[in-house]
Amino acid sequence: MELLSTNVCFDGEHRRYRHYSATLECDMEFAVFLPPAAVARDAKPVPVLYWLSGLTCTDQNFMQKAGAMKRAAQLGLAIVCPDTSPRGLNLPGEDDSYDFGTGAGFYINATQQPWAPHYRMYDYVVKELPQLVEHSLPVTDQRSVSGHSMGGHGALIAALKNPGRYASVSAFAPIANPSECPWGQKAFSGYLGDDARAWEEWDATLLIPTARERLPLLVDQGTADEFLETQLNPDALAAVCETFHHHINLRMHRGYDHSYFFIASFIDEHLEHHAQALGLR
């Protein structure tokens, strides 16, 4: 890994790295916050929260805007933020729109050309990146996962598809039923093809009935979110969770929108949720 930058923050360190990803066949960048417990003279490895960001974001948005590092430092929790897609591959159409291609990997494994060799963000964030981080940095193999919007979708499917891999999961304003919304339909048809049956394994609402592990889902959603009615559909997720007795704590927050102001308002509660599951509380 190539260290790009480092900043002392709340007596821990925020770092940015670049590395070559064999999964995506390109260079990738990611950010990590290491709490004081991981960088002190008598440092010991700490658990990790993997944060998956939303459309148009990079590894930097969460670190700079969410206000998560103070509480993470106190809890002794590392945070790893991958990018949201490969970049600069010069694939046809990769930069034509904000919701497909660059910045919009949707945390799935593409099967359609020209995306299939590179747009395998699911394998990257679930397998390759944790293996790299756990081998190279002072962290344990205890993991939790969270995210926002497209990244909330990514966090939910990562947990639902990998029983035993994560101690906990949460999401802010996730794309909860992507097979039934314009963002998801555009991405899935482009990356996976037009057969909707191929979409089912990448849709949290459709994964709930057959989930082999039922981690409690913590989901925060703002009522003033401009994408609530057209793109996010948390009610579909809540309904199927009720049907199949999968615990969900869907918290609707009056007046909050889709922005990082919303995330910053409730991030500490999500960190506490993960810290408890990881044995830090």
Side-chain angles (χ1 to χ4, degrees):
M1 301 190 305
E2 176 190 358
L3 180 63
L4 301 177
S5 65
T6 181
N7 310 92
V8 175
C9 188
F10 297 107
D11 292 326
E13 286 187 42
H14 167 267
R15 302 176 184 175
R16 296 190 69 240
Y17 288 98
R18 179 187 294 124
H19 74 106
Y20 179 78
S21 166
T23 300
L24 307 179
E25 298 183 6
C26 65
D27 286 341
M28 292 293 290
E29 296 178 359
F30 70 93
V32 58
F33 173 71
L34 295 172
V39 296
R41 183 172 299 176
D42 56 346
K44 60 180 181 179
V46 298
V48 182
L49 173 65
Y50 288 87
W51 173 268
L52 307 183
S53 294
L55 289 167
T56 75
C57 288
T58 69
D59 61 282
Q60 299 180 69
N61 297 73
F62 177 83
M63 291 299 197
Q64 295 181 7
K65 296 180 179 180
M69 287 184 274
K70 181 176 182 178
R71 190 71 188 114
Q74 295 167 343
L75 291 168
L77 178 64
I79 303 174
V80 171
C81 294
D83 204 344
T84 52
S85 77
R87 294 181 186 269
L89 296 174
N90 297 316
L91 300 178
E94 71 178 357
D95 295 318
D96 288 355
S97 59
Y98 78 95
D99 54 359
F100 185 80
T102 302
F106 266 82
Y107 305 104
I108 65 177
N109 288 338
T111 58
Q112 301 298 300
Q113 297 298 330
W115 314 100
H118 305 288
Y119 275 66
R120 302 181 60 82
M121 287 297 294
Y122 172 81
D123 278 354
Y124 176 70
V125 300
V126 171
K127 300 175 183 178
E128 184 182 22
L129 183 60
Q131 184 178 23
L132 176 69
V133 167
E134 290 162 18
H135 176 75
S136 307
L137 296 174
V139 301
T140 72
D141 60 0
Q142 293 178 281
R143 314 172 198 91
S144 292
V145 64
S146 185
H148 171 232
S149 193
M150 177 184 73
H153 142 76
L156 292 173
I157 65 168
L160 290 168
K161 289 165 67 68
N162 293 277
R165 187 161 184 82
Y166 301 98
S168 54
V169 58
S170 71
F172 288 84
I175 304 173
N177 191 191
S179 298
E180 300 296 334
C181 76
W183 277 343
Q185 291 167 351
K186 179 177 181 177
F188 285 4
S189 61
Y191 295 135
L192 303 173
D194 293 329
D195 184 355
R197 290 174 297 180
W199 304 356
E200 294 177 3
E201 66 171 305
W202 307 108
D203 186 317
T205 295
L206 302 181
L207 288 171
I208 289 292
T210 57
R212 290 184 291 137
E213 180 182 46
R214 299 205 175 272
L215 291 177
L217 308 183
L218 172 60
V219 178
D220 279 348
Q221 174 65 61
T223 63
D225 189 320
E226 61 269 41
F227 304 113
L228 175 58
E229 300 300 328
T230 57
Q231 304 282 9
L232 305 179
N233 203 3
D235 289 343
L237 179 64
V240 75
C241 284
E242 181 177 2
T243 298
F244 289 92
H245 308 290
H246 193 128
H247 179 76
I248 183 171
N249 184 9
L250 173 60
R251 309 191 304 183
M252 303 298 295
H253 300 279
R254 184 178 181 182
Y256 283 89
D257 59 19
H258 200 69
S259 71
Y260 268 85
F261 294 105
F262 166 52
I263 296 171
S265 299
F266 300 101
I267 190 62
D268 281 4
E269 295 173 36
H270 283 243
L271 296 177
E272 296 279 350
H273 167 77
H274 297 297
Q276 184 170 3
L278 291 164
L280 295 174
R281 294 298 308 272

